[in-house]
């Protein structure tokens, strides 16, 4: 799995802070320093005034993600997605994403790969027989690797990271979220300095279904 930033708002923290300052001043503060911007952002986030965070957006290319995980990702409706189409692309020799729990068992690993290869071979046979890709794809497993472009604003990324960095999140989408956070912290360190699950800064909302980490019991 590979997560790569392909586009973003230039100077995202300055953009956010200048937009926020405009609400209280007659003009746009072109001369605001990054230090003042970061101070203002912390004040804004502490007050819960997060709408200004939407002025900064980030676009990622995510490669080597299973269809099972991508279906979870696209549930975040305030983001924009473009994914490889199984209607138009012929998936020859596809890569399969193998869960760690299956990799640990050699017997299951061999069985898993064998079944996925069978599905892939039948897929190719159907195409050779004239079946359209959009119909042949029905046999492809959810383990088939895909590529997807994700665009969202800073506020939505905070929401995504809040849910997907939880230890109870599915392992693959959690890995994607961790890679996204690493990049976002470099681009907008103040905005994302406290990004993560609620238990990192307060009480876990999962209650009895939480992971059991001590900080969840505060």
């Amino acid at each position: 799995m590979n997560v790569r930033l392909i586009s973003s708002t230039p100077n995202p923290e300055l953009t956010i802070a200048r937009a926020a300052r405009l609400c209280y001043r007659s003009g746009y503060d072109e001369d605001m320093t990054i230090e003042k911007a970061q101070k203002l952002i912390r004040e804004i986030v502490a007050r819960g005034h997060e709408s200004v965070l939407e002025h900064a957006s980030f676009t990622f290319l995510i490669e080597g993600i299973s269809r099972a995980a991508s279906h979870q990702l696209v549930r975040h409706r305030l983001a924009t997605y473009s994914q490889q189409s199984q209607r138009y692309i012929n998936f020859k020799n596809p890569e399969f994403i193998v869960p760690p729990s299956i990799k640990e068992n050699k017997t299951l690993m061999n069985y898993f790969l064998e079944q996925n290869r069978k599905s892939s071979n039948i897929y190719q046979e159907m195409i050779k027989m004239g079946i359209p890709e959009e119909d042949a794809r029905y046999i492809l497993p959810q383990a088939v690797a895909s590529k997807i472009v994700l665009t969202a604003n800073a506020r939505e990324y905070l929401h995504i990271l809040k849910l997907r960095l939880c230890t109870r999140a599915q392992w693959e989408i959690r890995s994607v979220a961790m890679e996204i956070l690493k990049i976002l912290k470099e681009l907008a360190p103040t905005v994302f300095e406290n990004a993560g699950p609620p238990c990192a800064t307060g009480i876990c909302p999962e209650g009895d279904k939480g992971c059991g980490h001590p900080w969840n019991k505060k």
Side-chain angles (χ1 to χ4, degrees):
M1 185 264 295
N2 181 54
V3 177
R4 179 161 56 96
L5 181 80
I6 57 176
S7 181
S8 67
T9 300
N11 302 312
E13 294 196 331
L14 282 173
T15 299
I16 291 169
R18 286 168 176 165
R21 182 65 73 201
L22 182 66
C23 297
Y24 306 99
R25 293 191 176 185
S26 59
Y28 185 70
D29 189 355
E30 292 280 4
D31 299 322
M32 179 182 286
T33 64
I34 187 62
E35 291 77 17
K36 288 183 178 180
Q38 292 175 339
K39 182 176 183 294
L40 180 58
I41 288 171
R42 288 191 177 98
E43 293 174 357
I44 291 168
V45 172
R47 295 172 187 166
H49 298 169
E50 298 181 346
S51 63
V52 293
L53 301 181
E54 297 173 17
H55 290 293
S57 65
F58 308 88
T59 299
F60 291 93
L61 169 62
I62 304 171
E63 301 174 291
I65 184 175
S66 71
R67 279 272 168 167
S70 70
H71 288 337
Q72 297 179 74
L73 184 61
V74 299
R75 290 172 63 191
H76 295 283
R77 296 185 294 275
L78 298 184
T80 301
Y81 308 92
S82 296
Q83 186 170 15
Q84 277 185 319
S85 173
Q86 289 186 340
R87 289 190 65 195
Y88 302 112
I89 297 174
N90 185 327
F91 283 78
K92 297 179 180 178
N93 302 314
E95 176 189 355
F96 301 111
I97 307 302
V98 185
S101 60
I102 295 176
K103 283 183 179 180
E104 293 172 359
N105 187 309
K106 186 176 180 180
T107 300
L108 287 178
M109 176 70 170
N110 291 335
Y111 182 70
F112 179 89
L113 293 177
E114 178 186 355
Q115 292 302 309
N116 279 294
R117 291 191 190 105
K118 283 183 179 179
S119 295
S120 179
N121 290 338
I122 295 172
Y123 166 81
Q124 291 298 334
E125 284 300 315
M126 285 195 283
I127 292 176
K128 289 178 182 177
M129 295 172 67
I131 303 298
E133 279 88 348
E134 66 175 18
D135 293 337
R137 63 176 169 166
Y138 278 66
I139 194 94
L140 290 175
Q142 291 196 82
V144 169
S146 184
K147 299 178 183 179
I148 189 168
V149 173
L150 158 67
T151 299
N153 62 58
R155 188 183 193 182
E156 180 62 10
Y157 277 116
L158 284 174
H159 173 68
I160 292 172
L161 297 171
K162 177 180 178 180
L163 298 178
R164 303 305 182 178
L165 286 175
C166 174
T167 56
R168 295 189 70 247
Q170 188 259 354
W171 68 271
E172 190 179 4
I173 198 168
R174 189 165 186 257
S175 297
V176 171
M178 290 174 69
E179 292 303 311
I180 287 175
L181 179 59
K182 289 177 186 177
I183 296 171
L184 291 178
K185 277 197 168 185
E186 293 181 2
L187 295 171
T190 310
V191 174
F192 295 99
E193 61 186 356
N194 294 316
C199 62
T201 55
I203 299 175
C204 174
E206 298 287 343
D208 294 339
K209 301 202 179 283
C211 67
H213 193 285
W215 63 38
N216 292 339
K217 300 176 182 179
K218 292 180 181 178

